[in-house]
Amino acid sequence: LIRTDPFSFTRPGEPFLGFEYGSQLVYAAAERLGGLPAVAVLAGMVIGITYGLLTHFLRQRAVDPLLAYLTVGLAAALGAAHWTARPHLFSFVAVVVLLGILEGTVRKPGLACGALFLVWANLHGGFIYGWILIGLYLVGSMGEMLMSPARAAWQERSRYYAALLAVAVLVTLLNPRGWDLHRHVFGF
């Protein structure tokens, strides 16, 4: 792992934290296997997987096929500006996978959440957005718990989201930099 900045003219030798090292390794492996075309193919596959999973997610929720198509088409049109071979593409996939976990479509959600955030934290700093998304589900469930006559169900849902958030936060410490990764990402 690179510890000092070899890239910057204005900060040579300064401490460097490669917080997206996992995606750098993935892209480097693709480049070694097939050059720049392989990197482009990998990025295209990740983009395709993102929108494919989003379509699957919507169809699992019994969304009308035409509405699902229009929604995913709009998402693709809005996201197209970000279709570059960069680490953030992995966060796009992770968000859609996280939605499946939050909506309860995954067996063993605690294990799935832990595995997702373990990989995500080592690929891209967008895992913080995942924490925020879980937190929004938690706050929403707590609000429902206070206002709904079905308090017990919402209380159980709140515990579920709180447990997922705890897992998501703790497992992200399993990276080569530990807490330094979190300090660095929050520094942005």
Side-chain angles (χ1 to χ4, degrees):
L1 295 173
I2 298 170
R3 303 255 183 226
T4 57
D5 189 348
F7 307 110
S8 173
F9 176 75
T10 58
R11 296 178 45 130
E14 292 287 320
F16 177 80
L17 190 122
F19 67 99
E20 297 169 334
Y21 82 94
S23 54
Q24 293 168 356
L25 292 173
V26 171
Y27 284 125
E31 196 279 331
R32 287 234 171 125
L33 286 173
L36 188 56
V39 172
V41 167
L42 172 64
M45 287 173 45
V46 172
I47 292 165
I49 289 167
T50 299
Y51 295 107
L53 287 174
L54 181 57
T55 303
H56 178 71
F57 175 79
L58 293 173
R59 292 297 299 133
Q60 270 192 319
R61 311 231 117 28
V63 173
D64 179 80
L66 180 59
L67 182 57
Y69 172 76
L70 290 173
T71 301
V72 173
L74 180 61
L78 293 173
H82 300 282
W83 290 356
T84 57
R86 305 269 323 260
H88 66 274
L89 292 182
F90 296 106
S91 280
F92 292 170
V93 174
V95 167
V96 179
V97 171
L98 180 58
L99 281 173
I101 294 169
L102 291 171
E103 291 291 329
T105 61
V106 176
R107 283 191 195 143
K108 299 185 180 180
L111 184 62
C113 184
L116 173 65
F117 276 88
L118 177 64
V119 172
W120 195 356
N122 287 285
L123 288 173
H124 185 249
F127 68 89
I128 301 288
Y129 176 74
W131 292 353
I132 293 168
L133 189 56
I134 297 171
L136 289 171
Y137 270 73
L138 175 60
V139 168
S141 293
M142 291 170 71
E144 289 284 354
M145 186 175 62
L146 295 173
M147 297 187 294
S148 173
R151 291 179 204 258
W154 287 107
Q155 187 175 19
E156 182 62 33
R157 209 70 188 151
S158 296
R159 278 196 290 269
Y160 170 74
Y161 294 132
L164 287 182
L165 185 57
V167 167
V169 170
L170 291 174
V171 78
T172 59
L173 294 171
L174 300 174
N175 69 76
R177 305 293 187 165
W179 281 107
D180 286 339
L181 171 68
H182 298 78
R183 273 195 286 263
H184 180 75
V185 172
F186 281 115
F188 279 103

